Amino acid sequence: MTGTEPAATRIDTSRPHPARVYDWFLGGKDNYPVDEELGRHIMSIDNRAKHVARTNRWFMHRVTRWLAGRAGVRQYLDIGTGIPTEPNLHQLAQAVAPESRIVYTDNDPIVLTHAEALLRSHPDGVTDYIQADVRDPDRILDQARKILDFEQPIALSLVALLHFVGDEDGPLDLVGRLVDALPSGSHLVISQLTADFDPLGVQRGVEMYAAGGVTLAPRSLDAFGRFFEGLEVVEPGIVQLTQWHPELGVDEVHDGDEAVSLYGAVGRKP
Ligand SMILES: C[S@@+](CC[C@H](N)C(=O)[O-])C[C@H]1O[C@@H](n2cnc3c(N)ncnc32)[C@H](O)[C@@H]1O
């Protein structure tokens, strides 16, 4: 494991944390009463919230199959990894290409305590974990260079991460600095909360997270598209998550065609 500091291992159970609330939505056991409380509160206004979390996870599955299979990607930098939930990104990528190299990053100490599940790489490949904040891209890049070859294409994934980064932290600049470090042929993957489809419902969710001390920043289609400036957005473009290559889904169970409030897209660096 790379770049771990002792202070980063303290787990605060007095307020909800995004990684643990998401774990609760996914049916995991690595969360605390305060996380469950927020999860249940959100379910009381939107009983599809657990389904939305699964829909986001399935997007990551399909994108990784696409990157590994159709795009031939063999290196991944995944920021905002979350608490391990099988299949994890490295299991999907290494099922296609066992030699794949994956660097995971999260800023939540609970992910660090479970990182060993992320480090069980196929013997032909490598996985590593960096405890770091996306708002410190230089530190992430310095550590990732120890594992990944920045002369060869890398898929940078920020899946359900950027809505936890408010505009005051300059997410466009942060993404730009990360993408600038990648060579031609690399990919950028993002999923992100939007209020475009259900403004009132999403606003209530934002308020509930805010009451728990967590920033949630939904973004419009235009704002989302700006993350991909200078990149070639691959087919089918910027879409609501379930519309991104549904044919690559395995074992997905959808309960209707209703839009989920998340955009997703993949861009290729020319
Ligand atoms: C909703 S989970 C998404 C997990 C995984 N990417 C997925 O889509 O299944 C969001 C993750 O982003 C992490 N996160 C939030 N803010 C972050 C930051 N500033 N830097 C790094 N990770 C962060 C949280 O700890 C959490 O694990």
Side-chain angles (χ1 to χ4, degrees), residues 18 103 114 121 191 205 233:
V103 172
H114 293 281
S121 172
S191 71
V233 177

Side-chain angles (χ1 to χ4, degrees), residues 19 22 56-57 80-82 106-108 132-135 159-161 164:
Y22 184 65
N56 177 69
R57 194 73 189 170
T81 296
D106 205 288
N107 72 340
D108 193 318
D133 196 300
V134 70
R135 291 168 293 189
V159 179
L161 165 69
F164 297 112

Side-chain angles (χ1 to χ4, degrees), residues 14-266:
S14 67
R15 63 181 189 92
H17 273 215
R20 301 180 328 221
V21 178
Y22 184 65
D23 178 72
W24 185 81
F25 281 139
L26 289 178
K29 299 269 175 278
D30 301 306
N31 50 75
Y32 293 87
V34 69
D35 307 305
E36 179 172 345
E37 189 185 330
L38 177 56
R40 286 193 186 281
H41 202 174
I42 289 169
M43 286 291 287
S44 72
I45 57 157
D46 178 4
N47 64 9
R48 295 179 74 243
K50 286 189 177 185
H51 177 72
V52 172
R54 282 199 301 273
T55 297
N56 177 69
R57 194 73 189 170
W58 289 329
F59 169 72
M60 184 279 280
H61 294 180
R62 298 196 305 280
V63 168
T64 307
R65 287 186 197 113
W66 185 91
L67 289 166
R70 298 199 195 166
V73 172
R74 297 295 177 260
Q75 302 194 100
Y76 301 81
L77 175 55
D78 179 56
I79 307 180
T81 296
I83 293 166
T85 304
E86 297 212 348
N88 294 293
L89 190 155
H90 72 280
Q91 293 166 311
L92 295 156
Q94 292 181 341
V96 177
E99 72 276 23
S100 299
R101 302 172 79 81
I102 294 94
V103 172
Y104 291 113
T105 303
D106 205 288
N107 72 340
D108 193 318
I110 195 152
V111 181
L112 175 66
T113 65
H114 293 281
E116 112 205 26
L118 301 170
L119 299 176
R120 283 188 217 121
S121 172
H122 189 287
D124 294 348
V126 177
T127 61
D128 198 8
Y129 178 78
I130 305 171
Q131 174 77 16
D133 196 300
V134 70
R135 291 168 293 189
D136 190 357
D138 293 338
R139 175 173 147 77
I140 294 175
L141 290 167
D142 283 351
Q143 302 290 341
R145 281 182 216 284
K146 296 176 184 166
I147 304 293
L148 305 179
D149 176 1
F150 276 68
E151 302 292 313
Q152 299 298 324
I154 294 170
L156 167 67
S157 49
L158 311 169
V159 179
L161 165 69
L162 291 174
H163 41 245
F164 297 112
V165 180
D167 288 345
E168 65 282 6
D169 284 320
L172 259 187
D173 177 59
L174 295 171
V175 173
R177 284 162 64 190
L178 289 163
V179 171
D180 280 353
L182 305 179
S184 166
S186 292
H187 289 80
L188 171 67
V189 180
I190 307 180
S191 71
Q192 147 84 51
L193 181 71
T194 182
D196 287 358
F197 307 112
D198 176 19
L200 289 179
V202 170
Q203 182 53 33
R204 288 180 73 188
V206 169
E207 286 162 11
M208 284 182 192
Y209 271 91
V214 179
T215 297
L216 204 50
R219 295 196 167 90
S220 67
L221 183 60
D222 273 0
F224 183 78
R226 270 179 232 126
F227 289 122
F228 293 90
E229 267 169 23
L231 305 181
E232 299 157 351
V233 177
V234 307
E235 288 297 321
I238 297 173
V239 288
Q240 180 270 324
L241 287 194
T242 54
Q243 292 164 0
W244 201 92
H245 287 288
E247 77 283 2
L248 295 175
V250 176
D251 297 335
E252 297 188 5
V253 185
H254 293 285
D255 55 2
D257 295 330
E258 213 180 313
V260 295
S261 291
L262 288 158
Y263 284 128
V266 177

